[in-house]
Each structure stands twice: as structure tokens, then as C-alpha cells.
Amino acid sequence: MIEFRVVYTMWLREMKRWWRSKPRMIGSLSMPILWLVVMGIGLGSSFSIPNAAFNYLVFVSPGIIGMSLLFTSIFSGVSVIWDRQFGFLKEILVSPVSRTSIVIGKMVGSSTVSLITGLVILFIVILLNGVSSLVLNPISLLQTVAFMSLISFSFVSVGLVIASKLTNMEGFQMIMSLLVMPTFFLSGAMFPIENAPQWMKAVAHIDPLMYGVDGMRSSLTGISQYPMMVDFTILVAFCVVMVALASHLFSRIE
Amino acid sequence: MNAIEVKGLAKKFNGFAAVDGINFEIKEGEIFGLLGPNGAGKTTTISMLSTILKPTSGSATINGFNLATQQNDVRMSIGIVFQDPSLDDELTGRENLDFHGRLYGVSSKERKEKIKAVLELVELEEKADSQVKTYSGGMKRRLELARGLIHMPKILFLDEPTIGLDPQTRRKLWEYIKRINSEKGTTMILTTHYMEEADFLCNRIAIVDKGKIIASNTPEKLKQVLGGDVITLEASEPESLKKVVGKMAGINEVTIFGDKLNVTANNGSTVLPRIIKVAHDNGVSIRSATLKSPSLEDVFIHYTGRAIREEEADSKNAMRLRMRVGWR
């Protein structure tokens, strides 16, 4: 059973914390912007994708939006570890509300933060590329936002799953190098997966972010590896599984 | 009606009995204390009664609700001040209270009133809109006490409410606790290893050691068990001193703890000079002697042969026990 009052309460807290913590906000925005400028413009000026109709900045833009969503979402989900260390999780868990509502509330809150960050990056992407080099209309924007939301929700859940298993921040570096960075690099954000060696292609296909980036590339540039519906379906399935897993694991915390 | 009834409650961690079948009842409006050293099982007991931990065996009713089957009703009936801090440092004091009120389904209008009232009660009105990370330890504790009252619980759980606070702040907190109890009639169960705290606050006390309740009564009655005064002697050979003193007339009991000796006597002030003389005659040297009315510490020594304070030095052991009941 989901109590909307609880979901709203959790969401509200997440918003307040986010709004109050300007360094975190600036940090989560500046890195993707740095990547866009250095990689997109810098690297793009002496490197182009073979047989591609558009320049590298256009190619890499959906990838950087994906990266921003991935990082913000996972970290926001993992932040539950802090709540546990500072004892606040106890206060939440002994309240007379369902655990599912708490988890969903946390997910909605964290996803909102991630989505807002992603939308700012999208806006900067449009500014840097110019309106004419992207496919921009209400439908393409709506599709992009749908993919962004799915990516956010999925990876917030991944963060929560990690947090339910990890009791302190010591394992954090490991998560960064073994999970987050590979997910980013193999998502096709930086280079087209089609041209990669066979083994890397195989690994990339189990990377859920690949379908998210491909979906956004499809809506924003009109060119993609898979039809948009395929990306969408796979991502929805992944999202549902992760949300269910996170809720399940969370309800078992003692 | 009893606010809390506990029957045979036990909790085992990997075969180790942290709480070993305890029974007690708390009447409505009472302040009930669980007094004992660190690692005695007090926090584990509180954790079970507040639905955080599942008991291995035994049962309990809280505010008339069954702990095992009516978890949400139990949660709604209680407010908790945890041993370790449990505030959101990034939020302001007021926001922490508001968050709590929302979670417990307190209506918006009532929330405003309650927040104002509890802030006034713990005298935090001026700090209410600062982030909690700017608060001192005592202020955080007061805020947590206030938070536990937002949803007007029938019963308040206080787990070591003044641990780590300076004596002045502790006094202040005691006043708030007393005031809440007398003004609102809130039943309270508190754990502590501070004798003075249990003595000052509690109507009744259960002395807990190694997961068991070894004595339970009002502080006065517990102290009466010793009869009269307590003379604490420090001697180089406590064993031989015990032998000598034990034979004397007018003495109720002799207990050794560490290198000290507790002697209880109905009329301590006349017994003490005689003890010193007898010891001298028998060639046993006494390094120091104090005469006082019995404290709860002496009661604990009477039942266990150890001082509560001795246990504190064994912090590693306490730490290990706390790890077990932690949130992992």
C-alpha cells in the first residue's frame, strides 16, 4: 500500500536538502558541462565518427545527459547510507508507515533531483549545439524527458539496492570503479558501440544505460542503433525490476 | 490499565542472550527506569518494545496493543528518543519536527500548534530555524525530546536520554522530562546507567544485569533492602578485612567489589569507629572510609558484587554489544 502523504514527505525532504546544498548542486552540474565542452568541442574538433552525418558534439550530447543522470541518481540513492550512519534512517523506519511508501518517496525525490539536473544539461546541450542541429519539437522533447525519467528512476533504485547492502562509505570507491564508470563508458555515450570489438559489444548490451542513451539519441538526433520502442521497452523492464528489488530489500532492513 | 506489559521477553544474537526472559509492568503515567551497566540489554529491550527488533521469544502489550501483531498501532502509541542522534543535520529544527508530524499523519493545523508548543517546552524557539548541524549536543537532545512528542504519544521511550551531556544540561533535560510527565501524563520508560538519573526521575526502577532483571521496586524500597547506612572501605587486604568485620555485631552485610568493601549497618556512625579499631587490632590497614546513606549504586553492588561504573571501563565489550543490536 502506498501512502501519498508519506511519499510527499520524503520528496519534500529531498528537495529541501538539495536546494540547501549549493556545492553539491554546482558539482553535479559542472562535471557534465566540463565533459560537454572538453570532450564534445575539444575532442570533437579533431575527431569525427566514421560515416556519421553529424559532428561529435551532437553525438556525445545525449551521452553526457545520460552520464549526468547516472551519477546524480546513483549517488542520491546511495545517500541512504548517510541517513543510516547519522541515525536518521531509524527515525523514518520506526514511524507507523509502510516501507514501500518510504522507498517510493525516496525514489521520487531523488529522481526529481536527478531529472532537474538532467534538464539543465539538456538546456545547455541545446545552447551549445544550436537549435538547428538537433531534432527539437514537443514530441521529441517529451520522448527525451520520458527516457530521462526512466534512467533516473532505474539508477536511483540501483543506488538504493547498493545502500541496503552496504553499511558504510568504505565500499564507495569500489562501486565507482567497478559499477558506475563501466556503466558510463560502455553505454555508447562517448563512442558508437557498433564499431567496437565483438566482446565489448556483448558487454555493452547488458548495460541498461546503453538503451537509455540510445533512446535519447534517437529522439534528439533521429539516428540510433535500435528503434526507440526497443530501447523504451527494455528500459521500462529494467526499471520495474530495480524498483521492485529496491523496495523488497528495503522492507527487510531491521 | 497498564501502559506496558512484558512477559518473558528475550532476544538472542547468535546464541548470545542479550535479553534473557524479562517480565515487568508499567502503569499509566509512571516513569519506569531500566538501570544497569552498558551491555546489560537495556537498549535491546527498548529496541524490541519499539518494534525495531523482533524478539526471539516472549510477548508484550504496549498501550493495549500486541507487539507482535499490531505493530502500526504500537508505533503510533509511542515516541522515541534514541541513544544515538537521529536528526537530519541539513534540515532546520522546525523542519525536523515538521517531517515527523507529517510522517505520523498530524494535520497541518495541528502540526503548527504542536511544533510551537514543543519548541516552547524545550526552549528552542530561537534556534528553530537554524540547521541542526549548528546545534550543540544538548540542543539536539532537546529537539529529539520535542520531536518524540509531536504526535502526542501515550508512551515515551527514552534510551540513555542524557548520555554524554554535561551536568548542567542533564539537569535541564531532567526538568523537561519531569514536566512532560506531570503536565501531559505521558508514561515513560527510560534506560540509564546513571544512578542519580534513575533516582531523580523514576517512580520505579528495574535493575538489569546480563539480560536479566535482578530487582525491581521504587528507588526508596530498593535502598531499604540494604538497611541503614553504607560504609565503603578501601583496604590493602579486603578479604581479611571482610573476615574481621563480618564477625562484628550491628552489621547487616559485607560485600567485596574490586579492592573495596561495602558494609551496611543500621547505625553507621557508631559502627564506623569500631570497625577502624577492630581492623587496627587485627593488623589490617584501612586506606580510606566513607559513610553515606545507600545509593542505587550500592544496591547494584549488593545484588551483583560489582559497581556499575566498573563496567564503563570495559568499553570494548559494550561496543561489541552495541554493534550487535545496531542497524545492519
Side-chain angles (χ1 to χ4, degrees):
Chain A
M1 192 188 65
I2 294 171
E3 298 147 281
F4 287 99
R5 157 178 68 85
V6 177
V7 174
Y8 176 71
T9 306
M10 294 294 293
W11 178 86
L12 191 65
R13 167 179 181 242
E14 217 61 41
M15 289 298 113
K16 280 179 179 164
R17 284 176 65 97
W18 173 69
W19 187 247
R20 206 152 285 167
S21 162
K22 297 289 187 274
R24 211 181 307 154
M25 200 190 283
I26 293 164
S28 66
L29 283 173
S30 55
M31 191 166 62
I33 294 172
L34 193 71
W35 276 79
L36 263 180
V37 173
V38 174
M39 287 292 154
I41 299 174
L43 188 68
S45 58
S46 55
F47 168 84
S48 67
I49 292 162
N51 319 319
F54 44 64
N55 67 36
Y56 186 63
L57 180 63
V58 173
F59 175 84
V60 87
S61 290
I64 300 299
I65 297 172
M67 177 190 83
S68 154
L69 295 172
L70 171 74
F71 284 19
T72 326
S73 301
I74 288 218
F75 296 154
S76 191
V78 166
S79 72
V80 170
I81 296 176
W82 291 119
D83 284 343
R84 189 196 302 244
Q85 272 186 343
F86 287 108
F88 193 68
L89 192 61
K90 259 199 257 192
E91 147 81 355
I92 300 172
L93 294 185
V94 296
S95 61
V97 299
S98 78
R99 291 280 174 91
T100 316
S101 312
I102 294 172
V103 183
I104 300 294
K106 172 74 190 174
M107 283 174 190
V108 175
S110 292
S111 301
T112 309
V113 169
S114 168
L115 193 60
I116 293 173
T117 312
L119 286 173
V120 174
I121 302 299
L122 175 62
F123 179 71
I124 291 165
V125 159
I126 293 170
L127 281 186
L128 284 178
N129 283 293
V131 180
S132 55
S133 41
L134 296 171
V135 182
L136 291 175
N137 55 57
I139 293 171
S140 76
L141 284 176
L142 208 67
Q143 287 166 335
T144 308
V145 171
F147 274 105
M148 288 167 72
S149 310
L150 276 173
I151 295 171
S152 301
F153 239 83
S154 304
F155 285 103
V156 167
S157 307
V158 171
L160 286 173
V161 168
I162 295 167
S164 74
K165 291 288 164 201
L166 217 66
T167 52
N168 56 48
M169 278 300 187
E170 274 164 35
F172 195 71
Q173 200 56 43
M174 198 180 69
I175 294 167
M176 267 308 281
S177 47
L178 289 184
L179 188 83
V180 181
M181 294 316 279
T183 302
F184 167 49
F185 285 133
L186 292 172
S187 67
M190 307 302 295
F191 56 86
I193 289 295
E194 299 107 281
N195 306 344
Q198 204 57 40
W199 66 267
M200 196 184 276
K201 249 193 223 175
V203 182
H205 276 78
I206 56 169
D207 181 349
L209 187 62
M210 189 197 85
Y211 302 97
V213 169
D214 197 53
M216 287 191 290
R217 196 165 280 145
S218 168
S219 62
L220 282 177
T221 69
I223 296 165
S224 68
Q225 196 178 350
Y226 294 104
M228 196 187 284
M229 270 325 278
V230 174
D231 291 326
F232 186 75
T233 311
I234 292 176
L235 207 55
V236 166
F238 176 69
C239 187
V240 168
V241 169
M242 289 322 291
V243 168
L245 187 61
S247 309
H248 172 70
L249 289 175
F250 220 77
S251 67
R252 286 169 26 137
I253 296 179
E254 255 211 345
Chain B
M1 197 184 90
N2 284 324
I4 296 181
E5 285 177 14
V6 177
K7 286 194 192 93
L9 202 65
K11 179 73 188 178
K12 282 191 177 137
F13 296 104
N14 306 323
F16 167 80
V19 175
D20 198 0
I22 57 170
N23 301 287
F24 61 85
E25 283 167 7
I26 305 177
K27 291 194 224 43
E28 256 179 39
E30 209 174 16
I31 303 185
F32 185 86
L34 294 171
L35 174 69
N38 286 330
K42 295 170 300 185
T43 297
T44 309
T45 305
I46 291 276
S47 299
M48 284 191 284
L49 294 180
S50 56
T51 73
I52 294 169
L53 283 176
K54 277 204 168 58
T56 312
S57 60
S59 65
T61 52
I62 284 139
N63 195 27
F65 299 113
N66 187 314
L67 181 63
T69 58
Q70 296 169 292
Q71 216 178 47
N72 260 16
D73 294 313
V74 169
R75 289 177 174 182
M76 205 66 207
S77 312
I78 62 175
I80 312 172
V81 177
F82 297 104
Q83 180 169 344
D84 307 313
S86 62
L87 296 162
D88 188 337
D89 276 17
E90 302 271 323
L91 298 183
T92 67
R94 193 186 302 281
E95 284 167 344
N96 266 285
L97 299 178
D98 186 67
F99 180 87
H100 184 91
R102 285 174 188 274
L103 270 195
Y104 282 75
V106 181
S107 73
S108 151
K109 181 171 164 282
E110 221 179 322
R111 220 160 49 224
K112 270 209 186 88
E113 288 168 13
K114 282 282 161 244
I115 289 173
K116 191 170 175 293
V118 295
L119 282 172
E120 220 168 280
L121 178 80
V122 298
E123 298 171 274
L124 275 178
E125 300 109 311
E126 277 167 35
K127 262 289 199 176
D129 294 308
S130 311
Q131 279 179 287
V132 170
K133 59 182 169 197
T134 66
Y135 284 29
S136 70
M139 285 155 81
K140 285 184 186 171
R141 221 70 191 118
R142 273 145 67 191
L143 185 65
E144 287 179 307
L145 185 61
R147 183 178 66 183
L149 298 169
I150 291 284
H151 59 289
M152 291 182 292
K154 280 271 173 57
I155 304 162
L156 201 56
F157 287 63
L158 304 163
D159 194 3
E160 298 275 6
T162 66
I163 196 164
L165 299 181
D166 60 86
Q168 253 176 325
T169 316
R170 177 173 300 159
R171 280 259 156 213
K172 202 86 190 141
L173 215 70
W174 287 355
E175 274 172 41
Y176 298 134
I177 292 171
K178 277 266 190 201
R179 199 186 304 165
I180 293 162
N181 174 254
S182 61
E183 282 177 15
K184 301 180 197 296
T186 313
T187 309
M188 299 195 184
I189 172 166
L190 75 92
T191 74
T192 183
H193 66 283
Y194 298 120
M195 270 61 62
E196 325 85 69
E197 183 162 293
D199 211 352
F200 182 82
L201 285 176
C202 300
N203 305 117
R204 276 194 310 132
I205 293 169
I207 296 182
V208 189
D209 189 39
K210 294 177 181 159
K212 287 198 161 89
I213 291 180
I214 51 178
S216 172
N217 217 323
T218 64
E220 295 72 32
K221 291 236 172 80
L222 281 172
K223 285 183 273 189
Q224 274 170 25
V225 171
L226 299 181
D229 305 318
V230 175
I231 299 163
T232 305
L233 302 165
E234 213 178 331
S236 47
E237 299 148 64
E239 289 290 342
S240 43
L241 184 62
K242 183 182 175 181
K243 233 179 257 168
V244 174
V245 175
K247 287 183 207 138
M248 289 173 59
I251 279 170
N252 298 336
E253 196 195 47
V254 184
T255 321
I256 294 183
F257 64 105
D259 59 349
K260 289 182 189 158
L261 213 61
N262 257 8
V263 181
T264 55
N266 292 337
N267 199 345
S269 50
T270 59
V271 170
L272 181 56
R274 280 170 43 219
I275 291 179
I276 293 170
K277 182 170 185 305
V278 169
H280 183 79
D281 292 348
N282 285 276
V284 182
S285 70
I286 293 175
R287 245 178 279 144
S288 75
T290 49
L291 168 67
K292 57 184 184 342
S293 341
S295 68
L296 288 170
E297 173 85 79
D298 301 313
V299 178
F300 187 80
I301 292 167
H302 165 78
Y303 282 110
T304 64
R306 308 191 317 280
I308 288 187
R309 291 190 202 282
E310 281 170 21
E311 306 287 313
E312 275 179 73
D314 195 5
S315 58
K316 235 184 204 162
N317 193 41
M319 202 48 168
R320 213 183 59 229
L321 289 170
R322 201 174 308 168
M323 298 280 277
R324 285 202 195 132
V325 294
W327 289 70
R328 262 133 245 268

